[in-house]
Amino acid sequence: MPVDYEVNAHKYWNEFYKIHENGFFKDRHWLFTEFPELAPSQNQNHLNDLLPENKRSKVPQCRSNEDGPGLQIEEQHKCSSNSLGHKMQMPPVEENVTQKLSHLEICVDEFPGSSATYRILEVGCGVGNTVFPILQTNNDPGLFVYCCDFSSTAVELVQTNSAYDPCRCFAFVHDLCDEDKSYPVPRDSLDIIILIFVLSAVVPDKMQKAINRLSRLLKPGGLMLLRDYGRYDMAQLRFKKGQCLSENFYVRGDGTRVYFFTQDELDTLFTTAGLEKVQNLVDRRLQVNRGKQLTMYRVWIQCKYRKPLLSGTG
């Protein structure tokens, strides 16, 4: 049975988003309080204090992708001023550029958002509850946001949202555990990577390699931001016998899965990937549902880890 949940994981998440569409999760406007790095005022100066002028926006001119086959990048990222009018002309998700694998190199002038000065990637974007608040709040003309999800249904909901602007955003289907599929950006090209309640859905023994691959995409000085379920969160305590797939890893009634982390586990994942701790804290909250007269003890973990500066640039 655990094998079924792994092999058919995309089916369970597609079904989840077909049922709930964009009505399940609320937009995460708390993002800018917890992660001020995403706010407009932070963008221009984020790396200014970390890197010399001549190093700040450098991306290797052209490199073979070492994480798997490259992606065939086509003309989707070239926009006109009427970007919202053109967004619906994108190919269906199943035929999306992100699904067309080739062995081409990813060059600095070939990938979506290559002219941007501040690049954010959200992994596990769902229907855009993080991406759209960022796009709506952050008007930095140099900003470009990438977002991907395991579920083609979720990505399609992002692409057809009226707030989706392909001049500022690129949504694509991606399985962060698939070692044969690469991201549509070069190494050392991203300023921020966001993981919000997504790593917990990954099989524990695949987490480290997934974080390693993401770490390579960060610029020196770039940040990985995470918020996820902590050990003994109310949701963990409410699982019934038979729902535990392995230690601290459970399957929900709809077939989706969830892991509950400790701070040390997350610290090991990030530091093994070569990142340095900026923040690793437990957020314990008491939530009261007065309508149902329920008291819920929530435990979340919030992390910020930075990619070290290149030697000799400090």
Side-chain angles (χ1 to χ4, degrees), residues 276-289:
E276 299 172 342
K277 182 172 73 172
V278 176
Q279 181 188 76
N280 184 328
L281 57 85
V282 177
D283 184 355
R284 293 184 175 89
R285 301 198 181 190
L286 179 64
Q287 292 183 336
V288 179
N289 185 325

Side-chain angles (χ1 to χ4, degrees), residues 47-53 55-57 219-221 309-310 313:
L47 288 180
N48 288 18
D49 298 331
L50 297 172
L51 296 172
E53 184 76 25
K55 298 283 186 182
R56 194 174 309 142
S57 299
K219 295 177 182 178
L309 298 174
L310 295 170
T313 63

Side-chain angles (χ1 to χ4, degrees), residues 37 50 52-53 77 85 98 131 138 158 173 216 221 292 306 310:
E37 297 82 5
L50 297 172
E53 184 76 25
H77 60 284
T98 61
V131 169
N138 195 327
V158 171
V173 177
R216 296 182 195 123
K292 296 182 178 179
R306 177 179 287 122
L310 295 170

Side-chain angles (χ1 to χ4, degrees), residues 89-275:
Q89 297 175 16
M90 295 178 67
V93 172
E94 289 73 17
E95 299 172 16
N96 201 302
V97 62
T98 61
Q99 308 244 327
K100 300 176 182 176
L101 298 178
S102 73
H103 289 275
L104 298 178
E105 296 175 335
I106 294 178
C107 299
V108 69
D109 57 349
E110 276 185 357
F111 66 97
S114 55
S115 62
T117 56
Y118 198 79
R119 303 187 190 97
I120 297 174
L121 165 65
E122 185 191 11
V123 180
C125 64
V127 296
N129 300 101
T130 294
V131 169
F132 292 126
I134 291 174
L135 291 172
Q136 291 159 5
T137 303
N138 195 327
N139 295 317
D140 176 8
L143 172 70
F144 197 89
V145 180
Y146 307 87
C147 58
C148 63
D149 201 276
F150 191 38
S151 166
S152 58
T153 302
V155 172
E156 192 169 9
L157 287 166
V158 171
Q159 292 175 339
T160 56
N161 189 303
S162 61
Y164 182 73
D165 180 355
C167 284
R168 303 184 69 216
C169 185
F170 183 70
F172 57 102
V173 177
H174 189 83
D175 176 1
L176 80 164
C177 294
D178 190 338
E179 299 180 44
D180 294 325
K181 284 190 180 179
S182 57
Y183 293 87
V185 294
R187 292 177 61 157
D188 305 318
S189 63
L190 299 176
D191 295 277
I192 301 283
I193 295 176
I194 309 170
L195 296 156
I196 297 182
F197 299 108
V198 61
L199 194 60
S200 54
V202 173
V203 176
D205 62 10
K206 294 185 177 182
M207 290 178 183
Q208 187 65 66
K209 286 186 177 179
I211 295 298
N212 291 350
R213 285 192 294 274
L214 288 170
S215 175
R216 296 182 195 123
L217 302 179
L218 282 174
K219 295 177 182 178
L223 286 172
M224 201 172 294
L225 310 178
L226 173 140
R227 190 171 176 86
D228 221 321
Y229 299 103
R231 190 70 48 84
Y232 308 126
D233 176 61
M234 171 209 71
Q236 180 177 13
L237 302 178
R238 290 174 64 179
F239 276 112
K240 296 178 174 61
K241 188 177 180 180
Q243 291 182 281
C244 185
L245 299 175
S246 61
E247 192 171 3
N248 302 301
F249 191 49
Y250 300 81
V251 61
R252 301 184 181 97
D254 60 6
T256 62
R257 297 166 299 174
V258 59
Y259 187 84
F260 296 88
F261 292 99
T262 65
Q263 289 172 281
D264 287 344
E265 286 173 339
L266 287 167
D267 185 71
T268 298
L269 286 171
F270 290 126
T271 55
T272 301
L275 304 179

Side-chain angles (χ1 to χ4, degrees), residues 1-15:
M1 187 62 76
V3 175
D4 170 71
Y5 294 126
E6 176 68 5
V7 172
N8 295 311
H10 64 288
K11 295 181 181 178
Y12 291 117
W13 281 109
N14 279 339
E15 190 61 28

